[in-house]
Amino acid sequence: MTIAYSLVARGGTILVSHQIGDGSFQAIVHSMLPNIPLRHSSKTTYTSESQLFHVSVDNGLIYLCSAAPEFGRFIPFAFLNEIQKQFSSGSLVARAPEAREHEFQRDFEPILAAQMEYFSTSKDVDKVTKLQSQVNDVKEVMQENIEKVLQRGDKLEDLESKAYDLETSSSTFRNHSRQVRKKMWWKNKRMLIILVLVVIAVIAVITLVILFSTGVLP
């Protein structure tokens, strides 16, 4: 797997490019470049004819490379970062606004070729690729765990909501029971008072009857 094509462009004007092997890269990028937004720095990947075209935009300039999908995205963007750094460190970046089509072929194509070779074949880059693959695997596992936690969180929220509803219902029931008990207590008190008054009245009547019958009271 290799980076098969790369370029530096100003809008639709290709300032420098390099290609490894066959392929209609020039025709594809000529139709692609005018549609790439230049207002803000960005990193984007486009797909065309089973190839991925990785694009980095910085200060109105387009840094682009193409590779097969199996090559991933980490290495191509690492390559573009290196190309951008080297292109911006010299005088070419100052000449870019007025440069003509392929004006920088002699100055910068050897750098494109060397970096494409390095990022396509270096063992150090291969180690980085393997490490990135491991990181991606860990990210996938973490995402799955996070999704499970979130799902569990939803269930806990449902349970918490039900517990809150139950607690609210229980509180309402307690308040209602307290009110009922208070009403019953006063009702019992009233009944007791009435009963006591009735007993007192009965005793008073009986007492008066006895007193009258015995002549104690005239």
Side-chain angles (χ1 to χ4, degrees):
M1 293 183 292
T2 61
I3 297 174
Y5 180 81
S6 67
L7 63 75
V8 180
R10 184 192 68 247
T13 303
I14 300 176
L15 305 178
V16 57
S17 65
H18 182 72
Q19 179 172 334
I20 298 175
D22 298 327
S24 55
F25 295 104
Q26 289 277 4
I28 295 173
V29 298
H30 267 300
S31 63
M32 183 183 298
L33 291 175
N35 299 314
I36 297 175
L38 302 177
R39 288 186 178 181
H40 306 289
S41 297
S42 62
K43 295 183 185 297
T44 314
T45 298
Y46 301 93
T47 303
S48 180
E49 297 185 6
S50 74
Q51 288 284 112
L52 294 183
F53 290 81
H54 308 280
V55 176
S56 177
V57 176
D58 183 66
N59 291 327
L61 295 177
I62 299 171
Y63 302 87
L64 178 149
C65 70
S66 179
E70 305 83 58
F71 204 52
R73 303 189 182 190
F74 180 79
I75 293 178
F77 278 112
F79 163 80
L80 292 178
N81 287 338
E82 181 62 26
I83 293 302
Q84 178 181 331
K85 182 172 68 175
Q86 293 200 31
F87 189 84
S88 301
S89 63
S91 61
L92 297 182
V93 69
R95 295 163 49 194
E98 304 296 332
R100 300 184 303 275
E101 184 91 2
H102 288 104
E103 183 173 330
F104 298 153
Q105 285 297 122
R106 185 179 64 180
D107 298 307
F108 204 73
E109 184 183 13
I111 295 175
L112 288 179
Q115 292 301 322
M116 288 169 66
E117 176 71 16
Y118 173 76
F119 278 90
S120 296
T121 61
S122 173
K123 292 182 179 179
D124 293 335
V125 174
D126 187 54
K127 291 178 182 178
V128 172
T129 304
K130 292 179 180 179
L131 180 60
Q132 182 64 25
S133 177
Q134 294 174 356
V135 171
N136 290 336
D137 291 341
V138 173
K139 285 172 61 179
E140 290 179 2
V141 172
M142 291 300 296
Q143 287 175 348
E144 290 178 1
N145 291 336
I146 290 173
E147 289 176 359
K148 291 179 181 178
V149 170
L150 291 175
Q151 291 175 356
R152 193 178 301 120
D154 291 339
K155 294 178 181 178
L156 289 175
E157 286 180 0
D158 292 340
L159 183 61
E160 183 178 351
S161 177
K162 292 178 181 177
Y164 176 77
D165 293 340
L166 182 61
E167 183 180 356
T168 302
S169 301
S170 176
S171 177
T172 303
F173 177 76
R174 285 198 302 270
N175 292 334
H176 183 68
S177 299
R178 194 178 298 114
Q179 292 175 356
V180 170
R181 282 201 306 271
K182 184 177 289 186
K183 288 181 179 179
M184 291 300 296
W185 184 84
W186 279 112
K187 185 176 181 179
N188 290 336
K189 283 293 182 183
R190 285 197 299 270
M191 291 296 295
L192 181 61
I193 292 172
I194 292 172
L195 183 61
V196 169
L197 292 175
V198 170
V199 170
I200 292 173
V202 170
I203 292 173
V205 171
I206 293 174
T207 302
L208 288 174
V209 170
I210 293 173
L211 290 175
F212 278 114
S213 64
T214 57
V216 174
L217 292 176

